[in-house]
Amino acid sequence: MEISYREEGVASAASSVAGRLVADGVPARLAAGDPTVWGEDAEAEAAPGRPGRLTSLRSSRELLPALGELAARARAEGRTNVVLAGTGGSSAAAEVICATGDVPLTVLDTTDPGQVRRALTESLESTVVVVADQGGPAVETDAQLRVYERLFADAGLDPAGRVVVVTEPGSPLARRAADGGFALVPAPAGAGLPHSGLSAFALVPAALAGADVARLLDDAGEVLPLLSLDSGNPGLDLGAALGGAALAGRDKLVLEDQLSPIFGLPDWIEQLVAESTGKQGRGILPVVGADPNRTGDELVVAIESDVCDVRVDGPLGAQFLVWEYAAAVAALLLEVDPLDRPNAAEPGDDTAALLALPDLPAGAPAFVDGPVEVYGAPTAKDLPGLFAELLHAIPGDGYLAIMAYLDRLAAFDAPVPDGADFEQMTDAWMMADPLTLRTLLALRTDRPVTFGWGPRFLHRTGQYHKGGPQNGVFLQITGAVTEDVAVPGRPYTLGRLQLAQALGDLGALETRGRPAVRLHLTDRAAGVARLLEAAQEA
């Protein structure tokens, strides 16, 4: 595992803060999970038996025999369609592991009815559902489990043999697993917050999908001894670069991985860094999938690429461990506890309060532009004017966040004209891709533009949005639901839940006084096309 600085200013800042950390004995204390690193409050919260701040490789390795048995049994019974109902770091890590290992995994960290309905069309006979959650479960995970339980039962299939639960011992989800007769894989307390790259939350679904999880742990094990060293410590080197740059005003972390054989790692790094550092008005903003603007507040970090300020080389298992250590170091330099999530309960509480109302308070649109309704208090009267207004509202040290509560897997569901040539097909697909909206708006500003799919980003960058520096401008997108999905045992559908999550999140941002608008697509395909057209006109 190797960390290399490609810019002298980064090297100087990193060296300065690393020296202070070494003088305080931080590398060894952090690797050992010493809670006193984080102060008296953190020490008081460290219950007996609670693992250190890094994922325990020992407890993960102890899972390997059980994981092997689970995977072998699933294959013997023809359970090749693995569905993960989980949120945050667990789903992000499992997705990276399986994409890199080229094994199929369906990740359901959404409440979008269309996306869930698509997953439900897969053969139930060949399906095993992994429910991964630290305790709750989260409202979307609960909804997905309920939908699958009913679906299995209606098909005459016993859910008990087709659901695997990963959770902390004694949690509400563990009790639910016992009541339902589900297979239960216990995870150590605290293993999923937010350092879950090599924990049971990610390893169980990855192993069932066919990934080589033993190799991941071997690669992590090779780098582990280095993390207690004062020099030649890749976690310290990377963390000092992240934290040192942030203290010097370079607190926008642009992640680059175009040439990497590891697929999707920046998405996992995004949730790790945002949740670890975004609190008490401080934080490092991860920016994924965007070109650097080369402004003074950016730090470009690449996974095996030379176009960067810092380059990180190494296999996936080592990357997980080193980035977890580095995020902890960066949080320490910013004087925040990486495992403290002061705003974690806010989205769920806001959603629950809205769902308890007879009708969701969507309000009246400020104006309508074709298939797009605009909610909020903009002064603009059309979409091009609105986009210009939002871009102008971004502070000099701020960012624009696009938050799309849509089906993230249906981006190319645009109608293609009969007899269309390749160029026409490409144009149709691009016009239906919401991610293109970020690109078009980013061309019109030198400030970072981030993109998150709701509600998954609530468990990723959502902590930063609410707890980090209050310099964001927020553009939320929701869409009309034509075919909804009932949630068994609950008085709401997935469509109603999705809209409640969006409205609750928007309200939380508005209470912080940040510019925020909601765009509602009355026709999703036509609405996205209109957004992209307006972004080109802005």
Side-chain angles (χ1 to χ4, degrees):
M1 189 77 189
E2 182 181 358
I3 312 297
S4 54
Y5 305 139
R6 301 305 177 95
E7 201 254 334
E8 183 60 34
V10 174
S12 176
S15 176
S16 175
V17 297
R20 297 193 341 243
L21 295 171
V22 168
D24 290 337
V26 167
R29 293 167 61 198
L30 183 59
D34 179 0
T36 63
V37 171
W38 312 104
E40 294 180 0
D41 291 341
E43 184 178 9
E45 294 169 1
R50 187 176 179 87
R53 293 314 205 194
L54 298 177
T55 298
S56 171
L57 288 184
R58 176 179 298 178
S59 62
S60 295
R61 190 168 291 282
E62 289 172 350
L63 285 174
L64 288 178
L67 295 182
E69 292 177 8
L70 275 175
R73 188 183 313 128
R75 287 192 296 270
E77 296 172 350
R79 311 279 167 75
T80 55
N81 178 42
V82 183
V83 177
L84 170 60
T87 60
S90 61
S91 62
E95 206 163 28
V96 175
I97 294 168
C98 291
T100 301
D102 194 24
V103 295
L105 175 69
T106 298
V107 175
L108 281 185
D109 53 359
T110 182
T111 47
D112 186 84
Q115 191 172 334
V116 173
R117 288 174 65 88
R118 188 180 303 105
L120 298 179
T121 62
E122 296 294 331
S123 168
L124 284 180
E125 286 282 356
S126 63
T127 295
V128 57
V129 179
V130 181
V131 182
D133 199 292
Q134 189 180 8
V139 63
E140 55 264 43
T141 306
D142 171 75
Q144 292 147 11
L145 174 56
R146 288 173 177 274
V147 168
Y148 268 102
E149 282 184 296
R150 175 64 59 83
L151 202 63
F152 284 137
D154 289 347
L157 303 173
D158 184 4
R162 299 170 184 274
V163 176
V164 178
V165 170
V166 187
T167 189
E168 292 184 1
S171 71
L173 185 55
R175 294 192 291 272
R176 186 165 171 184
D179 293 340
F182 305 144
L184 174 64
V185 179
L193 282 176
H195 307 133
S196 52
L198 297 172
S199 74
F201 296 101
L203 295 181
V204 170
L208 283 169
D212 187 353
V213 296
R215 174 63 183 273
L216 281 173
L217 297 178
D218 288 343
D219 290 337
E222 290 183 7
V223 77
L224 181 61
L226 303 178
L227 299 182
S228 60
L229 303 179
D230 292 341
S231 63
N233 180 336
L236 177 64
D237 293 342
L238 179 57
L242 300 178
L247 291 174
R250 299 174 67 172
D251 59 354
K252 310 301 187 296
L253 173 61
V254 180
L255 295 162
E256 165 65 51
D257 73 334
Q258 291 184 11
L259 301 178
S260 172
I262 301 173
F263 292 96
L265 186 60
D267 287 331
W268 177 79
I269 296 171
E270 178 186 49
Q271 66 82 30
L272 171 73
V273 172
E275 283 199 336
S276 295
T277 68
K279 57 207 77 174
Q280 298 179 26
R282 308 163 200 163
I284 298 171
L285 174 69
V287 184
V288 177
D291 294 328
N293 290 320
R294 292 300 174 186
T295 54
D297 60 350
E298 286 185 342
L299 177 72
V300 183
V301 177
I303 312 300
E304 302 190 3
S305 173
D306 286 324
V307 186
C308 57
D309 301 314
V310 180
R311 174 169 171 155
V312 184
D313 293 290
L316 180 56
Q319 292 271 1
F320 279 140
L321 199 59
V322 167
W323 275 99
E324 289 175 5
Y325 187 105
V329 169
L332 182 61
L333 290 169
L334 293 176
E335 300 182 348
V336 296
D337 184 340
L339 295 194
D340 177 32
R341 297 193 303 169
N343 306 102
E346 192 171 352
D349 292 344
D350 292 343
T351 298
L354 288 171
L355 288 173
L357 300 175
D359 296 296
L360 295 179
F367 67 85
V368 177
D369 188 325
V372 182
E373 298 174 342
V374 178
Y375 294 83
T379 60
K381 300 302 179 184
D382 60 17
L383 282 175
L386 173 69
F387 289 148
E389 181 178 323
L390 290 175
L391 293 172
H392 182 72
I394 304 174
D397 61 347
Y399 63 99
L400 172 66
I402 303 174
M403 309 168 297
Y405 285 79
L406 301 171
D407 181 348
R408 70 182 177 97
L409 300 181
F412 297 134
D413 284 358
V416 179
D418 292 337
D421 58 25
F422 179 79
E423 183 175 353
Q424 290 173 314
M425 292 172 64
T426 301
D427 287 345
W429 289 337
M430 287 295 291
M431 288 299 286
D433 185 358
L435 286 171
T436 307
L437 178 63
R438 190 263 301 278
T439 302
L440 291 172
L441 294 180
L443 290 172
R444 288 156 175 78
T445 179
D446 64 355
R447 303 310 308 146
V449 180
T450 66
F451 190 103
W453 296 101
R456 67 187 294 176
F457 77 83
L458 293 177
H459 306 277
R460 300 185 180 193
T461 53
Q463 170 61 49
Y464 182 94
H465 290 167
K466 299 171 183 65
Q470 294 304 293
N471 54 13
V473 174
F474 299 92
L475 175 62
Q476 185 186 87
I477 307 172
T478 58
V481 174
T482 55
E483 293 183 272
D484 214 337
V485 176
V487 180
R490 297 297 191 205
Y492 50 76
T493 63
L494 286 182
R496 178 177 168 87
L497 172 57
Q498 183 184 41
L499 183 57
Q501 289 176 309
L503 295 177
D505 184 38
L506 192 66
L509 296 171
E510 290 173 338
T511 61
R512 289 165 168 81
R514 300 311 310 154
V517 298
R518 178 170 72 96
L519 309 182
H520 184 70
L521 314 182
T522 54
D523 178 296
R524 292 197 180 197
V528 168
R530 176 55 189 145
L531 295 184
L532 298 177
E533 181 183 46
Q536 291 174 316
E537 298 171 2

